[in-house]
Amino acid sequence: MGPMDAAAYDAWYDTPRGRWIGMAEFRLLSRLLQTQPGNTLLDVGCGTGW
């Protein structure tokens, strides 16, 4: 996969594989950061922020 613009990057996350990877990444980060209900997380400088 080559360079992507923002629209292509977001579109990839709308695919079944993209959704699976996005949720796996989210669960991993949530566990590593030990988030609690009601916590918020700001994504800065990571693509479109999906």
Side-chain angles (χ1 to χ4, degrees), residues 6-43:
Y9 183 83
D10 279 344
W12 183 83
Y13 274 102
D14 285 335
T15 67
R17 184 176 183 187
R19 280 190 296 274
W20 182 85
I21 289 173
M23 291 308 299
E25 291 171 341
F26 178 80
R27 285 190 301 269
L28 175 62
L29 284 172
S30 293
R31 236 178 306 147
L32 289 172
L33 296 172
Q34 300 177 354
T35 59
Q36 301 297 315
N39 287 161
T40 58
L41 177 65
L42 176 62
D43 179 351

